[in-house]
Amino acid sequence: MEEGHNFRQLRDAILALSAATDWEVARKEWSLVDISEADEAETCLCGHFPIIEICTIANRVTGKRAEIGNRCVKRFMGLRSDLIFAAIKRIRKDITKSLNADAIVFFWERGLLTAWEYRFLQDTMAKRSLSPAQAATRAKLNQKVLDVVKRRGFQGLN
Ligand SMILES: [Zn+2]
């Protein structure tokens, strides 16, 4: 157990918002629905402070939502939010880089991308040399993703 990340506290909080009473079942009820980077550090449900990479998870059975840190989402919920944050870090460092598959699907599901944009990002994901027009489009879409991750409380556009 990593210091500062209290699994029992997180588990109890999540179980209280779940329909199932067994942890292994209960955690399967949850999906990742939003990610954001907090301007001011927040506290995870596990009690850990500070967290900056915030994940909103929603329970598909009870409809409840919770906000927990990226680390706990991966470690305890088994959801790979870390791969999406990795893609965000990559494009922030270099806007010409491509998003990864996890990020592309996530932002498509959240309604941020049009069908055309979703297709474009897939088609160009593995390409290192893009035409000037393609490079401009990729940079524009990357910026759209960066903007939305900074907007606290983004819950999808659709
Ligand atoms: Zn935590």
Side-chain angles (χ1 to χ4, degrees), residues 5 44 46 48 72:
H5 293 267
C44 184
C46 73
H48 178 77
C72 278

Side-chain angles (χ1 to χ4, degrees), residues 4 9 13 24 27 30 32 38 42 51 56-58 63 78 88-89 94-95 97-98 119-120 131:
Q9 186 176 329
E24 288 303 323
R27 70 191 188 108
W30 293 82
L32 181 67
E42 301 187 13
I51 54 167
T56 304
I57 55 173
I88 288 163
K89 286 199 182 92
D94 183 349
I95 199 80
K97 298 282 191 189
S98 67
R119 180 77 185 270
F120 172 85
S131 72

Side-chain angles (χ1 to χ4, degrees), residues 37-44 48-54 152:
E37 291 180 327
D39 291 333
E40 290 182 29
E42 301 187 13
T43 303
C44 184
H48 178 77
F49 177 90
I51 54 167
I52 297 292
E53 296 175 335
I54 315 285
R152 196 77 181 83

Side-chain angles (χ1 to χ4, degrees), residues 4-6 10 44-48 51 68-69 71-73 76:
H5 293 267
N6 187 327
L10 178 87
C44 184
L45 274 186
C46 73
H48 178 77
I51 54 167
I68 68 179
R71 298 283 280 281
C72 278
V73 166
F76 305 128

